[in-house]
Amino acid sequence: MPMNAEPLDPSDVALLLDRWEAMSERYLPGRPRLVDHLLAELRSLDSDLAILDLGCGPASLLAAIATELPRASLIGIDNDPVLVALGRRNLDRFAGRADIVDSAIDPGWSVHVCANGPFDAVVAMLVLHYFPAADWPAMLEEIRSVLRPGGLLAVIDVVDEAGGEILHAADDHAGPTWTQWWDLAASIGGRAWPDAFAARAARSVPESAEHHPSLSELTSLLDRAGFDTVTVAARSGPAYLMIARTAARST
Ligand SMILES: C[S@@+](CC[C@H](N)C(=O)[O-])C[C@H]1O[C@@H](n2cnc3c(N)ncnc32)[C@H](O)[C@@H]1O
């Protein structure tokens, strides 16, 4: 911690995480229900899972998985310094089995997490749409390459049913907007994480490409990336949970 930084009170951490969830549901309608479906899928696999969260943000999904699966080992990857700082605080209580790698998800990103893999599951919630269409084939292949035989990729995201209007679809939602959440984060977290905010300002944090393939386009992409089975496990309006599995090793 920098010399003049003030530690963030647990109640402030809890407030930021609570507001993050409320903000995220504005953009991902039915988020809690989709997460519950995902947790049920993961519970059905095993208890000693190795799980990677791509673009984990403040690690709310990682924390939910760690709570649900007390023997799972978890790693997230993200390169927003403020979200990484908040996410690491969120994962404090799971020390030794959950952490975050501060790294861009650029081609070759898997080298940063290979020591934690191969993985039984990779989860990507509200993240893949950050990447332009041209990046998806290689991204999905790289995800498949870090999965064990029979492993699964869970994508939670939204389809663009409203012709690019997704981000305004929930204007009446009670949660904060993205900008309001960041204002709150700066007012609460700015003194605790001055270095992270400075790094965020200096670093080009990812801008979303807002690429939202249809479910059939995504199914084809996953198929072409070498996944064996692809299913839409749950829907909530424009939001979906898609599960793609790699082929189990033949005996
Ligand atoms: C909308 S947030 C979702 C965070 C988290 N999955 C959740 O649902 O709470 C998108 C996340 O993806 C991360 N992200 C986007 N593009 C990235 C990239 N190229 N490298 C690393 N992280 C990236 C952002 O920093 C951010 O934390």
Side-chain angles (χ1 to χ4, degrees), residues 20-21 23-24 27-28 31 35 53-61 77-81 83-84 101-106 109 123-131 139 156 178 182 200 205-208:
W20 176 271
E21 287 307 297
M23 177 271 288
S24 299
Y27 305 110
L28 186 68
R31 174 173 167 117
V35 168
D53 186 342
L54 210 60
C56 61
S60 41
L61 181 56
I77 179 168
D78 203 292
N79 76 336
D80 186 311
L83 297 180
V84 169
V101 174
D102 182 349
S103 166
I105 307 167
D106 286 338
W109 54 266
V123 298
M125 179 158 71
L126 265 187
V127 169
L128 293 186
H129 69 261
Y130 271 70
F131 297 89
M139 164 75 72
I156 295 180
W178 178 256
W182 276 103
R200 186 171 202 271
V205 294
E207 287 272 334
S208 173

Side-chain angles (χ1 to χ4, degrees), residues 13-54:
V13 173
L15 174 66
L16 284 177
L17 293 169
D18 175 74
R19 296 291 78 203
W20 176 271
E21 287 307 297
M23 177 271 288
S24 299
E25 199 177 353
R26 170 186 285 273
Y27 305 110
L28 186 68
R31 174 173 167 117
R33 199 167 66 76
L34 295 171
V35 168
D36 281 350
H37 270 278
L38 171 58
L39 293 175
E41 288 281 347
L42 295 176
R43 266 197 312 269
S44 72
L45 290 182
D46 199 353
S47 53
D48 292 339
L49 302 176
I51 297 178
L52 166 68
D53 186 342
L54 210 60

Side-chain angles (χ1 to χ4, degrees), residues 28-195:
L28 186 68
R31 174 173 167 117
R33 199 167 66 76
L34 295 171
V35 168
D36 281 350
H37 270 278
L38 171 58
L39 293 175
E41 288 281 347
L42 295 176
R43 266 197 312 269
S44 72
L45 290 182
D46 199 353
S47 53
D48 292 339
L49 302 176
I51 297 178
L52 166 68
D53 186 342
L54 210 60
C56 61
S60 41
L61 181 56
L62 283 174
I65 297 171
T67 304
E68 199 69 31
L69 299 170
R71 291 170 54 187
S73 53
L74 304 149
I75 191 83
I77 179 168
D78 203 292
N79 76 336
D80 186 311
V82 173
L83 297 180
V84 169
L86 178 58
R88 286 186 174 145
R89 273 295 298 268
N90 191 14
L91 295 177
D92 270 356
R93 64 209 140 115
F94 308 110
R97 68 185 184 97
D99 201 358
I100 299 174
V101 174
D102 182 349
S103 166
I105 307 167
D106 286 338
W109 54 266
S110 53
V111 72
H112 302 295
V113 294
C114 63
N116 303 81
F119 296 98
D120 301 284
V122 174
V123 298
M125 179 158 71
L126 265 187
V127 169
L128 293 186
H129 69 261
Y130 271 70
F131 297 89
D135 291 1
W136 283 54
M139 164 75 72
L140 295 176
E141 277 184 31
E142 192 158 0
I143 292 172
R144 188 183 49 73
S145 77
V146 301
L147 282 166
R148 284 186 210 287
L152 73 79
L153 163 64
V155 181
I156 295 180
D157 221 306
V158 282
V159 290
D160 188 355
E161 282 173 338
E165 294 300 316
I166 298 165
L167 297 183
H168 306 289
D171 272 349
D172 57 348
H173 190 273
T177 62
W178 178 256
T179 305
Q180 287 166 339
W181 188 87
W182 276 103
D183 289 345
L184 181 72
S187 71
I188 291 181
R191 280 200 301 276
W193 300 312
D195 291 357

